[in-house]
Amino acid sequence: MAVFGDVLPFRQFVLKIHSRCDLACDHCYVYEHADQSWRGRPTVISPETARQAAERIAEHASEHRLSMVRVILHGGEPLLAGVSRLGAIARVLRRAIEPVCELDLRIHTNGVRLDTAFCEMFLAEGILVGISLDGDRAANDLHRRYLNGRSSYDQVLRAVALLRQERYRPLFAGLLATIDIRSDPVAVYRALAELDPPNLDFLLPHGTWETPPPGKRGPLPDGRLPARLAGEPGATPYADWLAPVFAEWTKDGRRVPVRMFESIIETTLGGASGTESLGLAPSDVAVIETDGTIEQADSIKVAYDGAPVTGLDVFSHSLNAAAAHPAIRARQQGIAGLSPVCRTCPVVDTCGGGLYAHRYLTGSGFANPSVYCTDLEKIITHVRARLLPQAGATVAAQRPSHSMPQAHFDALAAGFGDAESISYLSAAQRSVRRAVLRLLHERAPLDGDPVFDGGWDLLTRLDHAAPGAVDEVLAHPYVRAWAEGCLRNAGRTAVGTATRSTATRAGHLASVAAAAAIRSGTLAEAEVPVSDGYAHLPTLGRLRAGDARTVTIAVTGPGQFEARATSGKWRVEAGVQDPASETEPDWQPVRVLRSGEFTVRLEDTDLNRDCHQWPAAPRLTPAAVAAWQEQFAEAWPLIEDSFPTYAPGLAAGLSTVMPLANDAPGREISAAARQAFGAVAAALPATGADLALLLIHEFQHVKLGALTDMFDLCDRTDQRVFFAPWRDDPRPVGALLQGTYAHIGVTDFWRVRRDAAGQEPAAAAEAAERFARWRMMTAEAIETLAGSGALTPLGDRFVAGMRATVEPWLSEPVPQAAASSAARWAAERRAAWQRRKDS
């Protein structure tokens, strides 16, 4: 998230459409708690206020170059505004915001007025719908009633049934249920899960230490907060209520995403929380009331009268002014903004101190643990203990189980690392890949794909019978890239569009299993999917299958298989298709680049290889393969002879070179992806020396990506951006660390090349100038990182290791012309950066 002028931008906006409600829920934070500002506000937002709010949001998105913002139409009850007014507001928002960035437009409603007229308008205007429903009739009627005491349950069920119809299903965003510990947790979960919502949120009822929620106690008579006695009977009624819900959810195969539980899993494993009430991510929400005033998150209304007030409004103030407000910035400090009790808690990375509003106590404000502290600690520990050993991660390993001797960590920090250092990275990556697959297996049954299920069964059998072959295929860089992409897209839908389901994407697992069976020679049969006309077998190649949907692979021996599909039959032996096949030769094996004993795959067939910032090249012609081989045969001996500190690590970790498309011949492009350990992507450069530079440069990214899967080197909640001397745009601290580490290799390459024997004087001068330029930029970036305040203690040690490598290079002599040219270039970059900041 970019920061300009030291302001963290908002990305979510709650726009209050109507300030009254047709229900009288006694747990409502708007009407039933300390802040009663709704009484003095307009009942409904005016067209002028809606237009001004839309323009302010668009202005904010443009200033911060946001790619997407979310606007939630809210109340009171927003449906009281009527179909026509809501549709007009949606159009005003889209006209203002969509020329600047994507708009994710939603509405949150109690549902009692939802009908086909509203749904048709929501379809036309692209508005997703979230509904509040507390569970079965008994649970819902505890609070969600009309003023006369009449139940709202039947009306809300009709609304949900409407959203479940095929025409309106794309509108359904999910259900929100507020917990009441008097209700039956299993009955509540089952009633909600049977409605098949795309998301389910369980919310803790709002309360503070001043006004504790039901079942919780406030401060002791002397003003102190109760001790954290999670094991004391009755101390954790909300965790005790959630535990059986969690048990039912896991028994159910986690078929309905429950945001609280999924956020506990993701934050524990290094990912982001999906809910404001958990995690350390800074708040990025602003509320715009019906009169145009800009406020903090609504939940703060429970603290005291006037708690969310900023004194700002959309007519007189920009949203940047609100983002700079001290009360809003107080919610953006990560772990540093928490109480001392929270900062030392073992679950703080997941809990994040709980919802900000729930921390309030007169005298100490919000500098306290949550009133739900004991409950949060208990349910987080409960979920971790029961699910995480099996669940795996989407983007990171279960890092506590990974370790590395300090000497190897320091060798990598210096920019190098030998084969043994890389072996620790490889071992951690093995855990990551297997964890991701386990998580994919848990989520795929949402769709019940028999191709995936057959692949999983075969892979688990092979893991016992031929684990080496399984590991070899799983280690292919684009297996993890596929699995993580599959998980990221799970359940994503957009209004009026259709996306492939998790299970359909996951069917590629059968191809992974088939490839392992072929490598091991295990006699087996597998049905594998066809995509873009090919059946893809990772590490081996692809088979043209025409318009078939699947191909049946029958393994007949090591490297040998037969394939059947409606479009033909094939027999493949040792990677070469049998010329006697009934169709034209359609097997396209993965090629290999060789230099002496060292080989890497030249990957131009894998279905999932296009995961870099540059597009993948299509299948290479024989002439293009020959050109790659010629340059690799030159590049690798150069690395071995001239760069011996990099060669052992490359030899141990580089498995794949992936050709990139290049629409500008002569331009050198290359890439690495954190989820594709072992792969370097590049367009064929002009010379073997250029290829050597690209391999060294990009493998630095590969190493650091794997290391940051194991250890946190910087504060993931720090959203500031910093000057990167080699870039036109500012970079977050993690990206700056990646770029700096990669450019150690670049600097060292030119340091060595300036003295290469037999060079033309012009080439030697160019190498000297590049060395002077890159050492200056890399050293500056190291000092930026060191002074950022965003590094962990381990990150400090890592950056110190980089500095120890680069500092001696600063004193190495270079020709005056090279030094002057580098200095001019650096000054121009700094001036351009300053102009950008000033504008």
Side-chain angles (χ1 to χ4, degrees):
M1 189 180 296
V3 182
F4 290 83
D6 200 28
V7 169
L8 183 69
F10 299 114
R11 291 178 180 270
Q12 300 186 72
F13 302 89
V14 176
L15 183 61
K16 293 306 186 82
I17 304 302
H18 205 285
S19 64
R20 304 298 188 268
C21 189
D22 43 9
L23 294 183
C25 307
D26 59 12
H27 56 13
C28 179
Y29 58 80
V30 175
Y31 306 109
E32 302 296 332
H33 283 277
D35 184 90
Q36 293 291 297
S37 57
W38 64 273
R39 297 180 183 276
R41 291 209 166 94
T43 300
V44 65
I45 193 170
S46 70
E48 295 74 22
T49 302
R51 189 176 304 109
Q52 183 66 21
E55 291 174 359
R56 286 297 192 193
I57 294 170
E59 173 188 67
H60 193 69
S62 176
E63 289 173 347
H64 294 278
R65 299 179 179 86
L66 303 181
S67 60
M68 187 270 284
V69 295
R70 174 175 291 175
V71 177
I72 302 170
L73 307 179
H74 211 277
E77 172 46 52
L79 296 191
L80 287 171
V83 173
S84 177
R85 188 186 295 266
L86 281 172
I89 291 171
R91 291 188 289 276
V92 164
L93 289 165
R94 291 204 180 276
R95 280 197 298 270
I97 296 169
E98 288 192 332
V100 176
C101 70
E102 179 184 351
L103 171 60
D104 177 358
L105 186 56
R106 301 175 179 236
I107 191 166
H108 187 75
T109 171
N110 60 35
V112 298
R113 292 175 178 263
L114 189 70
D115 58 18
T116 54
F118 276 114
C119 288
E120 287 297 322
M121 183 271 289
F122 293 153
L123 270 181
E125 304 301 339
I127 304 175
L128 301 181
V129 185
I131 289 189
S132 294
L133 178 64
D134 287 350
D136 58 359
R137 183 183 297 274
N140 198 70
D141 287 355
L142 288 172
H143 302 283
R144 296 191 176 279
R145 292 179 173 270
Y146 290 93
L147 186 60
N148 64 5
R150 182 166 57 92
S151 170
S152 66
Y153 186 69
D154 292 331
Q155 290 92 329
V156 180
L157 278 195
R158 281 197 293 271
V160 175
L162 191 60
L163 290 176
R164 294 179 66 192
Q165 293 181 12
E166 183 177 359
R167 176 168 177 78
Y168 302 129
R169 179 74 190 189
L171 300 173
F172 196 7
L175 298 175
L176 282 80
T178 300
I179 296 168
D180 189 309
I181 54 176
R182 296 172 294 174
S183 62
D184 181 336
V186 173
V188 166
Y189 170 76
R190 291 220 165 277
L192 296 172
E194 285 170 6
L195 299 176
D196 194 27
N199 277 292
L200 177 54
D201 260 0
F202 285 106
L203 308 180
L204 296 168
H206 287 312
T208 68
W209 288 106
E210 204 78 23
T211 55
K216 302 298 294 183
R217 59 184 180 182
L220 301 174
D222 61 3
R224 292 182 297 112
L225 299 185
R228 298 167 68 244
L229 301 175
E232 180 182 299
T236 56
Y238 292 88
D240 297 340
W241 190 94
L242 283 162
V245 174
F246 177 75
E248 287 296 307
W249 183 63
T250 52
K251 187 166 68 176
D252 239 1
R254 297 164 60 189
R255 63 184 181 87
V256 174
V258 175
R259 204 182 306 271
M260 176 185 288
F261 299 147
E262 293 199 333
S263 292
I264 291 172
I265 295 166
E266 297 297 336
T267 53
T268 298
L269 298 168
S273 172
T275 172
E276 181 189 12
S277 59
L278 293 173
L280 288 166
S283 174
D284 62 357
V285 180
V287 176
I288 301 175
E289 291 283 355
T290 56
D291 59 357
T293 55
I294 305 170
E295 294 199 339
Q296 301 177 64
D298 261 6
S299 57
I300 300 179
K301 292 178 184 291
V302 305
Y304 55 89
D305 195 20
V309 170
T310 65
L312 308 175
D313 65 76
V314 295
F315 295 100
S316 304
H317 306 92
S318 71
L319 286 163
N320 271 352
H325 191 279
I328 289 176
R329 296 189 65 159
R331 304 184 62 194
Q332 300 172 342
Q333 299 174 18
I335 196 169
L338 300 182
S339 71
V341 170
C342 292
R343 290 199 297 269
T344 60
C345 177
V347 300
V348 65
D349 53 340
T350 290
C351 172
L355 193 68
Y356 190 74
H358 297 170
R359 308 173 198 171
Y360 182 74
L361 176 64
T362 300
S364 52
F366 298 95
N368 307 293
S370 168
V371 70
Y372 291 105
C373 174
T374 52
D375 296 273
L376 290 170
E377 181 179 11
K378 187 172 183 177
I379 192 61
I380 290 168
T381 304
H382 181 85
V383 171
R384 287 178 172 181
R386 284 157 180 79
L387 190 58
L388 289 177
Q390 292 81 39
T394 56
V395 295
Q398 295 180 44
R399 285 171 288 181
S401 66
H402 297 149
S403 62
M404 172 184 290
Q406 194 69 64
H408 290 289
F409 179 89
D410 290 342
L412 289 166
F416 312 120
D418 60 13
E420 189 175 356
S421 303
I422 300 302
S423 74
Y424 288 97
L425 300 180
S426 298
Q429 288 298 303
R430 181 180 185 274
S431 292
V432 172
R433 290 187 294 268
R434 287 173 173 268
V436 170
L437 288 179
R438 286 194 296 270
L439 184 55
L440 183 58
H441 177 240
E442 291 188 354
R443 294 188 178 179
L446 291 171
D447 300 279
D449 179 26
V451 175
F452 174 85
D453 291 341
W456 179 264
D457 291 342
L458 176 57
L459 194 65
T460 52
R461 293 201 309 271
L462 290 170
D463 204 24
H464 292 286
V470 171
D471 276 338
E472 186 172 3
V473 177
L474 295 187
H476 188 53
Y478 301 111
V479 168
R480 177 181 170 188
W482 151 74
E484 289 194 0
C486 189
L487 287 171
R488 280 195 301 273
N489 286 289
R492 290 186 180 179
T493 58
V495 174
T497 64
T499 58
R500 286 197 296 165
S501 70
T502 310
T504 301
R505 294 174 179 270
H508 183 66
L509 182 69
S511 303
V512 173
I518 293 167
R519 285 196 165 276
S520 65
T522 301
L523 301 182
E525 191 168 287
E527 185 181 13
V528 304
V530 173
S531 183
D532 299 329
Y534 292 92
H536 298 262
L537 297 172
T539 72
L540 297 175
R542 66 183 186 181
L543 183 70
R544 185 182 288 114
D547 58 0
R549 294 175 62 87
T550 61
V551 168
T552 300
I553 301 290
V555 182
T556 56
Q560 302 174 5
F561 65 91
E562 294 178 351
R564 304 188 306 274
T566 55
S567 53
K569 298 179 181 179
W570 301 266
R571 187 167 75 251
V572 178
E573 296 184 3
V576 180
Q577 185 179 324
D578 183 352
S581 171
E582 296 180 12
T583 62
E584 289 183 309
D586 289 328
W587 173 244
Q588 297 179 359
V590 175
R591 282 79 163 246
V592 172
L593 299 177
R594 302 178 185 277
S595 180
E597 297 297 317
F598 185 46
T599 64
V600 296
R601 295 186 189 95
L602 184 63
E603 181 57 85
D604 60 356
T605 66
D606 194 277
L607 173 66
N608 302 285
R609 69 189 187 280
D610 201 358
C611 62
H612 303 276
Q613 67 263 44
W614 302 99
R619 175 73 169 175
L620 299 181
T621 64
V625 174
W628 272 101
Q629 176 57 49
E630 180 180 354
Q631 291 205 8
F632 187 75
E634 178 185 345
W636 185 247
L638 175 62
I639 292 173
E640 286 188 306
D641 293 342
S642 300
F643 302 95
T645 50
Y646 299 92
L650 274 163
L654 180 66
S655 66
T656 304
V657 172
M658 198 279 280
L660 294 172
N662 192 352
D663 57 3
R667 178 180 63 174
E668 293 183 0
I669 59 174
S670 60
R674 180 170 172 174
Q675 71 272 31
F677 176 78
V680 165
L684 183 69
T687 69
D690 293 333
L691 179 58
L693 171 58
L694 294 181
L695 294 177
I696 290 172
H697 173 194
E698 297 301 342
F699 197 69
Q700 294 288 96
H701 286 299
V702 171
K703 290 188 293 186
L704 185 52
L707 196 70
T708 51
D709 273 347
M710 299 174 69
F711 310 112
D712 280 332
L713 302 182
C714 53
D715 180 359
R716 291 179 285 110
T717 68
D718 194 312
Q719 303 298 320
R720 293 173 296 161
V721 291
F722 302 89
F723 172 54
W726 50 83
R727 299 273 304 211
D728 292 331
D729 56 329
R731 305 297 285 160
V733 64
L736 181 63
L737 180 62
Q738 275 279 354
T740 308
Y741 188 70
H743 285 117
I744 288 178
V746 174
T747 305
D748 205 7
F749 179 87
W750 292 113
R751 184 180 73 89
V752 173
R753 290 295 289 172
R754 67 196 163 124
D755 296 324
Q759 285 192 100
E760 294 291 332
E766 179 188 11
E769 195 277 332
R770 292 198 180 192
F771 167 57
R773 177 187 300 183
W774 284 113
R775 72 178 180 181
M776 182 182 300
M777 288 191 290
T778 304
E780 180 179 359
I782 287 172
E783 296 313 313
T784 299
L785 287 166
S788 69
L791 301 177
T792 66
L794 205 56
D796 284 329
R797 185 181 182 108
F798 190 85
V799 170
M802 292 198 294
R803 180 193 284 123
T805 295
V806 173
E807 269 188 346
W809 296 347
L810 298 175
S811 60
E812 291 189 15
V814 294
Q816 183 58 46
S820 299
S821 175
R824 285 194 303 274
W825 191 87
E828 290 169 1
R829 300 293 295 173
R830 174 57 71 176
W833 161 254
Q834 192 60 49
R835 286 194 298 272
R836 181 184 177 89
K837 285 183 64 178
D838 293 343
S839 64

